[in-house]
Amino acid sequence: MAELVPFAVPIESDKTLLVWELSSGPTAEALHHSLFTAFSQFGLLYSVRVFPNAAVAHPGFYAVIKFYSARAAHRAQKACDRKQLFQKSPVKVRLGTRHKAVQHQALALNSSKCQELANYYFGFNGWSKRIIKLQELSDLEERENEDSMVPLPKQSLKFFCALEVVLPSYDCRSPGIGLVEEPMDKVEEESGKIAVEYRPSEDIVDVRCEEELHGLIQVPCSPWKQYGQEEEEYLSDFSLEEEEFRLPELD
């Protein structure tokens, strides 16, 4: 049976490995490199996080590794548990466990992670994308407020984008639309400038009007600051010190 790999931040426990009994000799950066090299052989990794053991434990490190694929995580757990891998002593590897009552809303991947995932499964030349339409909606809202007695300042920067993803090998085209919004005060504080670049591909032969876009897949409106923060959103979820997560009992 085929496995569905969504373009979303992996938060499921069956995609998360807990690795402990890591040696205290190497630095955290060196362990990160060694862990990434060892576990990326089983599938594409979303993240590798290395943490020092709690003060009450013996010196050393533990790690949280997230896969996009649950099957890849299971293969890695079976192959690496109680193996030496890159150190003299064996490491312990278990799938994360979460209480059923703990639930989180899935977060969309940022652009670079989406491209990395697509390249891994479809190949670098196995897919392409093109922008159908890009429009700033904040100006439209500003014009709607022009009739009011007191002009309202622009509260946020909002953009609408419609694009199409093409998989030539499968003769598949998947259009979609999305909306992104960010408060103006936060945008100005961070950068002071706003720049939007639109580079349509040369093979575009049609631009769809709004009526033709109603049937497309829609993505909920999200603030820009969400992207780039996915790893921090669920970092505490997989800490070995928190009560809502536990390590499986060892034989």
Side-chain angles (χ1 to χ4, degrees), residues 75-178:
R75 289 196 302 268
Q77 190 277 325
K78 292 182 179 179
C80 297
D81 184 38
R82 302 179 187 274
K83 300 295 191 302
Q84 291 181 339
L85 298 181
F86 47 82
Q87 61 183 35
K88 294 181 179 180
S89 58
V91 300
K92 298 177 182 178
V93 184
R94 291 290 187 275
L95 289 168
T97 59
R98 185 199 303 270
H99 290 315
K100 294 182 179 179
V102 180
Q103 295 181 354
H104 291 289
Q105 182 180 0
L107 291 176
L109 293 174
N110 61 33
S111 177
S112 61
K113 290 289 188 180
C114 283
Q115 294 187 45
E116 181 183 46
L117 186 58
N119 288 338
Y120 182 83
Y121 283 101
F122 300 126
F124 184 79
N125 294 319
W127 67 283
S128 64
K129 64 180 179 180
R130 70 182 183 96
I131 295 178
I132 299 173
K133 185 169 185 178
L134 179 65
Q135 181 179 2
E136 182 180 358
L137 301 182
S138 46
D139 288 339
L140 296 178
E141 295 179 351
E142 188 176 12
R143 288 198 293 269
E144 291 177 356
N145 295 326
E146 289 180 354
D147 296 334
S148 61
M149 298 298 295
V150 180
L152 298 176
K154 184 183 293 186
Q155 300 295 323
S156 63
L157 185 67
K158 184 183 295 185
F159 277 90
F160 163 87
C161 182
L163 59 81
E164 183 179 57
V165 176
V166 182
L167 305 177
S169 300
Y170 301 93
D171 194 23
C172 176
R173 295 175 177 268
S174 178
I177 61 176

Side-chain angles (χ1 to χ4, degrees), residues 34-48:
S34 298
L35 288 165
F36 184 90
T37 302
F39 285 89
S40 61
Q41 302 177 45
F42 301 93
L44 183 63
L45 302 180
Y46 171 76
S47 64
V48 176

Side-chain angles (χ1 to χ4, degrees), residues 170 208 236:
Y170 301 93
R208 306 187 183 190
S236 61

